[in-house]
Amino acid sequence: MEIKKRNGIRQDFDSDKIKRALRLANESVADEFRLSSDELDAIVNNVVWHCKRAKSLLSVEDIQDFVEDALMRANHFKIARNYITYRYDQQLKRSKYSV
């Protein structure tokens, strides 16, 4: 399966990138709000499942939306908020450099 990167290039789907991003978001909250290893794996598997079911080429943003949805469905709102905030900050940085 392939995805479409922000620059338009197609790249092989890599679930390790999702897991890495989730680990970073997980580490951004206090211990009592963190995902267990099993919960993290379940969310990654859920996102991969949604990606495989997609009928069209997914973008990085589409996959990030799946991650946000999975975090919120699992009631991990603090992690989802930090994940969303990080995405927004990165988008601002990209737009600043693309002018």
Side-chain angles (χ1 to χ4, degrees):
M1 174 174 53
E2 288 186 327
I3 66 162
K4 183 179 173 185
K5 293 181 64 171
R6 285 182 188 88
N7 62 7
I9 294 174
R10 289 179 175 221
Q11 185 177 50
D12 287 338
F13 177 83
D14 183 358
S15 64
D16 287 338
K17 290 184 179 185
I18 297 167
K19 195 167 196 169
R20 201 170 316 124
L22 276 169
R23 277 194 193 124
L24 289 171
N26 201 33
E27 291 170 3
S28 73
V29 298
D31 289 345
E32 65 265 22
F33 300 112
R34 288 191 179 167
L35 296 161
S36 69
S37 181
D38 289 341
E39 288 174 310
L40 194 139
D41 288 340
I43 289 174
V44 171
N45 290 336
N46 179 280
V47 171
V48 169
W49 181 81
H50 280 288
C51 290
K52 287 182 178 179
R53 288 187 63 222
K55 304 222 185 284
S56 61
L57 182 66
L58 294 174
S59 69
V60 170
E61 288 82 8
D62 294 328
I63 296 167
Q64 290 174 332
D65 290 345
F66 288 148
V67 172
E68 289 175 16
D69 292 343
L71 285 168
M72 289 187 277
R73 275 194 311 275
N75 296 322
H76 286 284
F77 302 112
K78 290 186 182 296
I79 298 171
R81 180 179 18 184
N82 289 355
Y83 185 85
I84 292 165
T85 302
Y86 179 79
R87 274 182 76 181
Y88 178 74
D89 290 344
Q90 293 304 107
Q91 180 183 8
L92 287 177
K93 287 178 188 174
R94 283 189 301 275
S95 66
K96 181 177 157 182
Y97 292 113
S98 66
V99 174

